[in-house]
């Protein structure tokens, strides 16, 4: 259907159908992480939509102050998820941000943060990561994270780059049992460069479940962070490049689906690509196929449901519970904010450190109140942010990726070594 566009007086063009769909009921405020720490209408979805409408209608000048209100949104999309009128909030914010980049002031900090992701898979980048791994080992030894200070005042605890960064690429891992199908695994930037152990565990779990696992070479970042930041040209380039690789693999192999452990990437592939196979979050496969486990570890676990798993990938979050409860020795406990943004949202936490920390500390307080000892999740950004949350606010809590949790219980030591060696070139 052709969408009605307005021609505003002050350089902002947005689909008026999206703007007019909002009836200002305010229900979205109940789930908005920024509103629920600031309690100010300008930090609410409704307020951000009203600002866009006022600018579009020429009642309000597009100024850096107005743009800041939109920049302070995590784009978790909880508002969109709950909205009874189906307001397409993501599309609204993406296009608002695009116009701000083009007509007001390019967001250079975000641009410089996101541009390197377009080089993902590049040989020089791989060398730089290896050099970074050696240097960080020299300076901080075996510690897992490096505190990085940004000009905005943000201090983020980043995982170290790894010597085996991007080493899964271009390989087809073989199952060690009867073959049940073939998946493409798209690890994504964070797992390929930093959380390499988790990426390897995903491959090994799928191998043991009987799947061939292709990790493609030639792909870059999914482009989700670029899209969400309004850099649509960069997104388009990434989509084209990645789609070409996926198409070629689909012509050569019988592919059962694309597996991700990054719900932002998964949501981007589902919503903004047109792929010839379905997209799965790993937990969907584990829910179906992982047997019951007995770890012998009596611990209380809770789950941080990554927002884009249910708002973008449209998963029912109970799938995470069922996978966690495969370990019959663990006890699953819940707080009140399990389904609430952690405040990472990529460059959001770098650009808005105070707001991000308010969201994070509220979340960590809730986890502590739940009585949990461990938080499971399935998103590299959430792992990074929640780890920071344990350093700052909850030293007794531990964060674990759900793939690592499952790997420790499902794979033997021997299988971890052997399965990694079962592969051939794609
Ligand atoms: S976005 Fe939806 S939930 Fe929020 S105020 Fe508008 S109509 Fe209500
Ligand atoms: S996307 Fe998230 S942070 Fe942004 S307005 Fe909606 S609920 Fe609030």
């Amino acid at each position: 259907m052709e969408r009605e566009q307005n021609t505003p007086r002050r350089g902002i063009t947005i689909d008026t159908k999206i703007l007019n769909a909002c009836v200002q009921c305010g229900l979205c405020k109940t789930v908005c992480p920024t509103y629920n720490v600031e309690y100010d209408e300008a930090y609410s979805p409704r307020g951000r939509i009203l600002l866009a409408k006022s600018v579009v209608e020429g009642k309000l000048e597009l100024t850096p102050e107005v743009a800041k209100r939109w920049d302070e949104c995590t784009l978790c999309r909880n508002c969109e998820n709950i909205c009874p009128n189906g307001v397409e909030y993501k599309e609204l914010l993406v296009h608002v941000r695009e116009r701000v980049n083009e007509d007001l002031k390019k967001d250079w900090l975000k641009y410089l943060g996101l541009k390197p992701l377009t080089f993902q898979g590049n040989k020089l980048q791989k060398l730089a990561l290896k050099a970074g791994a050696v240097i960080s080992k020299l300076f901080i030894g075996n510690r897992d994270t490096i505190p990085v200070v940004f000009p905005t005042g943000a201090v983020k605890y980043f995982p170290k780059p790894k010597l085996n960064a991007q080493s899964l690429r271009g390989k087809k891992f073989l199952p060690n049992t009867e073959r049940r199908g073939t998946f493409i695994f798209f690890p994504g930037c964070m797992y390929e460069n930093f959380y390499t152990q988790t990426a390897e565990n995903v491959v090994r779990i799928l191998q043991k479940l009987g799947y061939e696992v292709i990790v493609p070479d030639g792909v870059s970042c999914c482009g989700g962070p670029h899209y969400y930041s309004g850099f649509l040209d960069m997104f388009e380039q990434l989509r084209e490049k990645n789609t070409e690789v996926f198409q070629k693999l689909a012509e050569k192999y019988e592919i059962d689906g694309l597996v991700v452990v990054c719900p932002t990437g998964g949501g981007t592939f589902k919503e903004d690509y047109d792929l010839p196979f379905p997209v799965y979050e790993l937990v969907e496969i584990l829910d179906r196929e992982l047997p019951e486990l007995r770890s012998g570890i009596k611990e209380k676990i809770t789950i941080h449901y990554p927002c884009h798993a249910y708002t973008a990938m449209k998963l029912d979050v109970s799938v995470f519970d069922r996978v966690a409860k495969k370990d019959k020795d663990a006890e699953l406990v819940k707080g009140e904010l399990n389904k609430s943004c952690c405040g990472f949202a990529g460059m959001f936490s770098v650009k808005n450190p105070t707001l991000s920390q308010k969201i994070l500390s509220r979340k960590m307080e809730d986890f502590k109140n739940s009585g949990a000892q461990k938080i499971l999740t399935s998103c590299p950004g959430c792992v990074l942010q929640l780890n920071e949350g344990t350093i700052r606010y909850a030293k007794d809590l531990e964060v674990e990726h759900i793939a690592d949790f499952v790997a420790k219980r499902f794979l033997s030591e021997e299988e971890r070594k052997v399965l990694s060696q079962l592969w051939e070139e794609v």
Side-chain angles (χ1 to χ4, degrees):
M1 186 175 35
E2 193 66 21
R3 281 181 162 164
E4 184 189 340
Q5 299 286 320
N6 52 52
T7 313
R9 280 187 278 147
R10 295 190 180 100
I12 183 164
T13 306
I14 298 170
D15 184 346
T16 45
K17 280 202 175 67
I18 299 181
L19 287 168
N20 293 334
C22 176
V23 293
Q24 302 287 310
C25 68
L27 183 64
C28 49
K29 285 162 56 169
T30 58
V31 293
C32 174
T34 58
Y35 179 77
N36 281 290
V37 294
E38 296 294 349
Y39 299 104
D40 177 333
E41 188 70 17
Y43 288 84
S44 77
R46 184 172 72 176
R48 292 179 177 119
I49 295 168
L50 197 56
L51 278 180
K53 200 166 170 19
S54 303
V55 172
V56 163
E57 290 171 353
K59 293 176 186 157
L60 187 69
E61 191 80 43
L62 175 58
T63 61
E65 289 70 36
V66 171
K68 183 150 175 51
R69 298 284 90 85
W70 296 323
D71 197 43
E72 287 161 343
C73 165
T74 67
L75 255 176
C76 64
R77 301 172 61 190
N78 277 290
C79 51
E80 189 180 309
N81 203 42
I82 201 174
C83 175
N85 259 23
V87 171
E88 292 175 70
Y89 184 83
K90 170 192 160 198
E91 289 308 308
L92 172 66
L93 247 272
V94 162
H95 288 97
V96 157
R97 287 176 173 177
E98 183 194 23
R99 304 278 19 121
V100 170
N101 280 328
E102 288 181 4
D103 297 345
L104 187 67
K105 190 170 178 281
K106 190 174 196 134
D107 190 333
W108 280 105
L109 189 62
K110 269 193 193 170
Y111 182 83
L112 293 173
L114 296 176
K115 184 69 184 168
L117 303 187
T118 63
F119 307 132
Q120 180 71 6
N122 173 300
K123 285 197 171 60
L124 272 179
Q125 189 212 38
K126 200 168 162 182
L127 273 176
L129 283 162
K130 284 186 188 297
V134 173
I135 293 165
S136 57
K137 173 105 180 147
L138 284 175
F139 281 96
I140 65 166
N142 287 332
R143 273 193 4 236
D144 282 344
T145 54
I146 317 169
V148 180
V149 184
F150 290 88
T152 54
V155 181
K156 303 300 295 172
Y157 293 83
F158 273 92
K160 289 186 296 192
K162 299 293 185 306
L163 265 179
N164 62 350
Q166 301 180 17
S167 60
L168 299 178
R169 283 182 167 239
K171 293 176 181 166
K172 181 172 76 170
F173 293 87
L174 308 170
N176 64 335
T177 166
E178 196 186 336
R179 180 186 165 278
R180 298 172 66 190
T182 303
F183 285 126
I184 296 175
F185 172 43
F186 179 86
C189 318
M190 291 281 284
Y191 295 109
E192 276 205 293
N193 301 340
F194 304 104
Y195 295 122
T196 52
Q197 178 70 33
T198 306
E200 287 176 0
N201 279 336
V202 173
V203 171
R204 292 180 193 125
I205 290 167
L206 290 172
Q207 278 179 297
K208 186 167 177 181
L209 288 172
Y211 290 99
E212 277 181 352
V213 186
I214 297 171
V215 182
D217 205 1
V219 287
S220 285
C221 172
C222 64
H226 309 79
Y227 193 80
Y228 279 62
S229 301
F231 294 119
L232 301 194
D233 289 347
M234 269 201 280
F235 168 70
E236 202 46 59
Q237 285 164 16
L238 289 165
R239 176 166 64 175
E240 258 179 48
K241 182 180 177 190
N242 295 335
T243 301
E244 199 183 316
V245 176
F246 292 138
Q247 290 285 6
K248 278 191 185 146
L249 287 173
E251 283 160 23
K252 190 169 171 191
Y253 301 98
E254 202 175 309
I255 304 291
D256 294 291
L258 176 73
V259 177
V260 296
V261 272
C262 171
T264 301
T268 301
F269 289 133
K270 269 186 154 177
E271 293 182 322
D272 304 311
Y273 279 62
D274 186 13
L275 296 178
F277 34 68
V279 179
Y280 299 110
E281 173 28 272
L282 177 73
V283 286
E284 293 179 270
I285 296 155
L286 298 180
D287 180 32
R288 274 196 326 252
E289 306 193 17
L290 190 69
E292 280 190 7
L293 305 164
R294 279 279 174 196
S295 66
I297 307 168
K298 302 274 179 207
E299 62 185 348
K300 288 186 179 171
I301 52 173
T302 193
I303 297 179
H304 164 65
Y305 307 113
C307 303
H308 290 167
Y310 54 94
T311 64
M313 291 194 80
K314 305 279 186 284
L315 298 189
D316 181 334
V317 295
S318 61
V319 68
F320 288 93
D321 296 357
R322 288 194 295 275
V323 172
K325 285 199 285 198
K326 296 264 183 184
D327 180 354
K328 296 294 159 198
D329 292 321
E331 182 187 346
L332 184 63
V333 295
K334 296 278 183 73
E336 287 174 12
L337 298 178
N338 292 71
K339 204 175 163 186
S340 162
C341 177
C342 64
F344 178 65
M347 293 298 287
F348 164 87
S349 61
V350 172
K351 290 198 67 195
N352 305 286
T354 308
L355 189 52
S356 172
Q357 288 304 318
K358 280 186 189 177
I359 297 169
L360 178 59
S361 61
R362 177 173 176 256
K363 182 103 188 165
M364 297 311 293
E365 204 50 43
D366 187 62
F367 281 137
K368 282 197 281 186
N369 292 339
S370 75
Q373 297 160 287
K374 180 181 279 179
I375 309 163
L376 296 184
T377 193
S378 178
C379 161
C382 300
V383 168
L384 187 152
Q385 178 83 342
L386 295 173
N387 265 325
E388 184 179 322
T390 63
I391 293 168
R392 291 181 191 274
Y393 311 108
K395 294 205 165 29
D396 293 337
L397 267 167
E398 190 191 335
V399 181
E400 192 167 38
H401 195 286
I402 204 158
D404 297 330
F405 174 85
V406 167
K408 278 182 198 155
R409 286 152 178 79
F410 182 49
L411 304 172
S412 65
E413 283 294 320
E414 185 58 21
E415 282 167 339
R416 285 185 207 198
K417 284 184 214 142
V418 172
L419 290 174
S420 312
Q421 290 155 13
L422 284 176
W423 61 270
E424 55 190 43
E425 274 182 34
V426 177

